[in-house]
Amino acid sequence: MTTEFNEIMNKIQESDTVIIHRHVRPDPDAYGSQLGLQSYLKLKFPEKNIYAVGEAEPSLDFIGTFDTLTNEDYQGALVIVCDTANAPRISDTRFDLGQYLIKIDHHPAVDQYGDLNYVNDQASSTSEIIFDFINHFNDISLIDAATARLLYLGIVGDTGRFLFNNTTSHTLEVASHLLQFPFSHNEELNKLGEKDPALLPFQGYVLQNFDLNDKGFCKVIITKEVLKQFDIAPNEASLFVNAIADIKGLKIWVFGVDEGSEIRCRIRSKGIVINDIASDFGGGGHPNASGVSVADWDRFNELADALNNKL
């Protein structure tokens, strides 16, 4: 870790412009690690141009905003991609227009697309890695409440508020450090959990239309007709992937949403490795939280059968 962190910092010090990317369909850790790194680097290097790019996720607008760049801005730039396992999932395809590319991630290393790759799949989140990066250079005293808030939200998001089994003693130590900064974590957690009241009838639909078998496998199917019925966008529907997580006896579940050109499948489990199945179908992710896109509902059912067979 020491050597790789030093190499990353050397590249940052050599660069006048740093452009930070993350993955499509961003979650709190994507936002937190990307914007947290940007915030830290702006404080450490006020003379440099430090940008963060990518499409916004409306439900996370409260976390932060992004920069709009031209292709010319990438000339001679250092590009850092946070929290993204494989290149096709990088938000903004111009990531390869820079002079040098660095990957910082905590997902299993399936695509080492960077000129320099730092992957720690034992970290709870990429936001935790960014904290460790800052701490490695004794820069905790340099960051402010805004930086701490971003990293904290990223960690909270990827650990399910510290309920998931990727929460380690180190994760809690990092969170403890971040909570010493003056931001209202209760207020931020409330924002993170809030949903538009107009979406709640859809949650009722999910809770009445899950398909759970006696082995503990469950699938939820959200068709275009269901989305239209509840006037809900695919990305909004995905917010409810864990609506059924508290069902007694549940072990593995898949939440499929028809996004028009593909069926986006979010896969979750309780202590059972499922990212190997996701990989078999062209996706990936964490052992207990993965995702994959399939062409149609027939392929979705094949994925569901493979997950069910895990039990």
Side-chain angles (χ1 to χ4, degrees), residues 177-244:
H177 280 292
L178 295 172
L179 285 174
Q180 295 176 35
F181 288 84
F183 67 94
S184 175
H185 71 279
N186 285 333
E187 182 178 339
E188 297 300 326
L189 291 182
N190 286 336
K191 291 178 184 177
L192 194 61
E194 286 177 349
K195 294 181 176 65
D196 189 323
L199 302 181
L200 296 186
F202 174 76
Q203 180 175 358
Y205 174 87
V206 172
L207 293 174
Q208 295 180 71
N209 290 275
F210 59 85
D211 183 4
L212 175 69
N213 68 19
D214 57 3
K215 293 198 297 184
F217 173 72
C218 185
K219 59 183 178 181
V220 177
I221 294 175
I222 306 300
T223 64
K224 288 184 290 187
E225 291 72 23
V226 171
L227 294 174
K228 183 177 180 180
Q229 176 186 349
F230 290 95
D231 191 24
I232 186 172
N235 66 305
E236 293 174 326
S238 70
L239 298 174
F240 295 91
V241 61
N242 288 320
I244 62 170

Side-chain angles (χ1 to χ4, degrees), residues 20-35 52-66 81-85 88-92 106-107 126-127 153-154 157-158 192 234-236 238-239 241 259 264 266 268 286:
I20 309 171
H21 289 239
R22 39 76 180 161
H23 59 77
V24 297
R25 300 187 182 92
D27 56 14
D29 186 35
Y31 267 58
S33 59
Q34 179 192 29
L35 295 175
V53 299
E55 88 289 357
E57 164 53 49
S59 66
L60 300 177
D61 280 347
F62 75 94
I63 296 181
T65 58
F66 302 94
V81 181
C82 292
D83 197 41
T84 311
R89 296 201 69 232
I90 300 174
S91 180
D92 196 324
H106 74 125
H107 298 90
T126 305
S127 295
L153 286 172
D158 254 24
L192 194 61
N235 66 305
E236 293 174 326
S238 70
L239 298 174
V241 61
E259 297 195 345
R264 181 64 182 169
R266 290 163 176 83
R268 302 291 185 267
H286 301 291

Side-chain angles (χ1 to χ4, degrees), residues 45 48 54 64 114 285:
F45 301 108
K48 295 183 184 293

Side-chain angles (χ1 to χ4, degrees), residues 106-148:
H106 74 125
H107 298 90
V110 296
D111 179 5
Q112 299 291 65
Y113 50 78
D115 299 307
L116 172 60
N117 301 280
Y118 177 78
V119 177
N120 178 7
D121 60 10
Q122 300 304 302
S124 70
S125 55
T126 305
S127 295
E128 181 179 311
I129 293 173
I130 299 303
F131 176 90
D132 289 338
F133 180 73
I134 296 169
N135 191 43
H136 173 72
F137 296 102
N138 298 313
D139 282 344
I140 299 302
S141 61
L142 179 64
I143 65 174
D144 56 12
T147 313

